[in-house]
Amino acid sequence: MNILFIGGAGFIGSNLVKRFSSDKNYSIFVMEPENANISRLQDCDVTIFRTSLNDIESVTNIISKNRIEIIVHLVSTLIPGSNYNEYVREFKDVIFPSIELMEYCAKEHIKFVFFSSGGTVYGNRNNVQPFVETDNMEPISYYGWSKQMLENSILFKHRTQKLKYLIVRPSNPYGHGQNLYGQQGLVAVAIGKLLNNKPVEVWGDGSAIRDYIFINDLAEIFYQLIVQDVSNEAINIGSGRGYSVNDVLAFLKIISKCDFRIDYQNVRPVDVSNMVLDTSKMKRYINLNLTPMLEGMSAFYHEVHSLKDHVKS
């Protein structure tokens, strides 16, 4: 089976590609723009195309010539803190071309798989009751809104043109390949600050709760969903358990044996206070013992710490 990962060189995409590359039943193709960093794929047996999503003619030519049967859409230029002008660019470069691509997939009977965001599409909740897939989508950030728009577009194309789809809503993934010096991903950013002897910045008082999932687990769950050909569903992918920001940083202090400084900043209006995913639907399809938070964080920390020591030597 031929599968194309659009945005497959990023943190999540590269880990998915690595998992699928171990299965010889799949021929893996990745599409990234010319300026994208593809170093995460250097050890993977994949065919890479240097094309932007907004060049829809080139994209459809790639799909046609390589007889792509499944498209996995991972592209987003936004983060939860993105502003309106950044959203406008996202609409032009990602959202509208994606809708055109859905149109093409519906006509050619190609399965369209979309990575949404379980952490932002549901919006805010004042308690820790887990979000189920049937809950209303009420995002409070442009990032979440962009994901909701694409989800609604997928459902429209399914109703009107029988588009075969799968929507996955992952919680907060962390682990191998995550950017230590980016603007999102608490675990990775905190480790990056620690390794550079800088305080860890926290928006709010650290009580905000999130659902975290180790990237290896996310990749395995997604692989199993694709192998089973789960279709025309929206599925949460997470641990089903919440940890506060302060919990996560306490874990990091235990793992690193370092009492780093935490710099608490004013809370941002785009950040939800509580987000835990109900994973009952996921468990109907998946049989997997998830990696405990402390174990996953420890593996990630020691991996990047050893790489830093290797660079120094």
Side-chain angles (χ1 to χ4, degrees):
M1 181 167 285
N2 297 338
I3 181 168
L4 172 64
F5 292 86
I6 300 178
F11 162 51
I12 295 177
S14 59
N15 281 280
L16 302 183
V17 167
K18 181 180 179 181
R19 177 63 186 90
F20 277 85
S21 295
S22 66
D23 186 341
K24 299 306 178 185
N25 291 311
Y26 290 91
S27 294
I28 311 300
F29 301 83
V30 170
M31 196 184 83
E32 287 282 1
E34 285 289 347
N35 61 348
N37 183 350
I38 60 171
S39 61
R40 292 186 180 97
L41 300 177
Q42 59 187 357
D43 297 324
C44 297
D45 182 17
V46 299
T47 301
I48 299 174
F49 296 100
R50 289 297 209 167
T51 305
S52 296
L53 179 59
N54 59 13
D55 186 354
I56 197 67
E57 183 176 351
S58 294
V59 175
T60 53
N61 283 338
I62 289 170
I63 295 168
S64 176
K65 289 179 181 179
N66 295 279
R67 299 182 179 181
I68 301 298
E69 298 161 85
I70 300 175
I71 288 173
V72 182
H73 184 297
L74 295 138
V75 181
S76 179
T77 65
L78 301 180
I79 61 174
S82 294
N83 60 34
Y84 175 73
N85 290 332
E86 291 166 326
Y87 167 76
V88 171
R89 288 195 296 272
E90 176 84 352
F91 190 92
K92 176 176 176 286
D93 294 335
V94 176
I95 297 175
F96 189 73
S98 297
I99 295 171
E100 289 188 274
L101 181 57
M102 293 172 205
E103 182 93 8
Y104 177 83
C105 289
K107 290 179 181 177
E108 300 298 327
H109 307 290
I110 297 167
K111 185 174 181 177
F112 190 91
V113 182
F114 176 57
F115 263 73
S116 185
S117 169
T120 61
V121 294
Y122 294 113
N124 215 348
R125 179 172 278 172
N126 292 325
N127 57 57
V128 292
Q129 180 181 351
F131 287 100
V132 298
E133 290 86 352
T134 53
D135 281 337
N136 291 336
M137 291 189 287
E138 299 174 341
I140 60 173
S141 67
Y142 286 111
Y143 174 74
W145 188 21
S146 71
K147 295 293 189 180
Q148 181 187 16
M149 289 187 71
L150 284 172
E151 284 202 30
N152 285 337
S153 299
I154 289 168
L155 296 179
F156 175 76
K157 292 297 180 184
H158 174 69
R159 286 194 302 272
T160 59
Q161 295 178 264
K162 307 303 180 187
L163 173 68
K164 184 178 180 181
Y165 72 89
L166 174 64
I167 295 169
V168 293
R169 297 173 180 163
S171 60
N172 293 57
Y174 68 94
H176 175 76
Q178 193 169 23
N179 185 3
L180 304 181
Y181 311 108
Q183 295 178 287
Q184 61 178 340
L186 172 63
V187 176
V189 172
I191 291 174
K193 296 288 188 182
L194 171 60
L195 295 179
N196 285 278
N197 298 312
K198 295 180 179 180
V200 177
E201 294 181 345
V202 171
W203 303 103
D205 61 5
S207 63
I209 292 174
R210 298 287 184 274
D211 185 327
Y212 296 90
I213 186 166
F214 193 44
I215 189 63
N216 297 28
D217 294 342
L218 172 58
E220 180 60 30
I221 291 166
F222 182 71
Y223 169 79
Q224 291 187 28
L225 291 173
I226 295 299
V227 168
Q228 295 178 56
D229 194 26
V230 177
S231 300
N232 305 330
E233 294 275 8
I235 300 178
N236 290 335
I237 300 181
S239 68
R241 179 172 180 177
Y243 292 95
S244 72
V245 172
N246 288 330
D247 289 335
V248 173
L249 297 181
F251 284 155
L252 185 54
K253 288 186 176 183
I254 293 170
I255 294 164
S256 66
K257 299 180 174 62
C258 178
D259 189 20
F260 53 84
R261 187 164 68 87
I262 303 172
D263 185 7
Y264 292 96
Q265 306 281 341
N266 291 333
V267 67
R268 301 183 302 182
V270 296
D271 294 326
V272 299
S273 56
N274 295 294
M275 192 288 295
V276 179
L277 298 181
D278 184 296
T279 57
S280 300
K281 183 186 282 191
M282 179 189 88
K283 290 176 181 177
R284 294 181 210 159
Y285 302 103
I286 305 302
N287 182 18
L288 180 68
N289 292 321
L290 297 180
T291 306
M293 185 76 184
L294 187 60
E295 181 182 327
M297 283 185 62
S298 181
F300 184 31
Y301 172 81
H302 290 296
E303 175 193 359
V304 297
H305 194 275
S306 64
L307 289 174
K308 184 179 181 183
D309 289 343
H310 177 72
V311 169
K312 283 183 178 179
S313 61

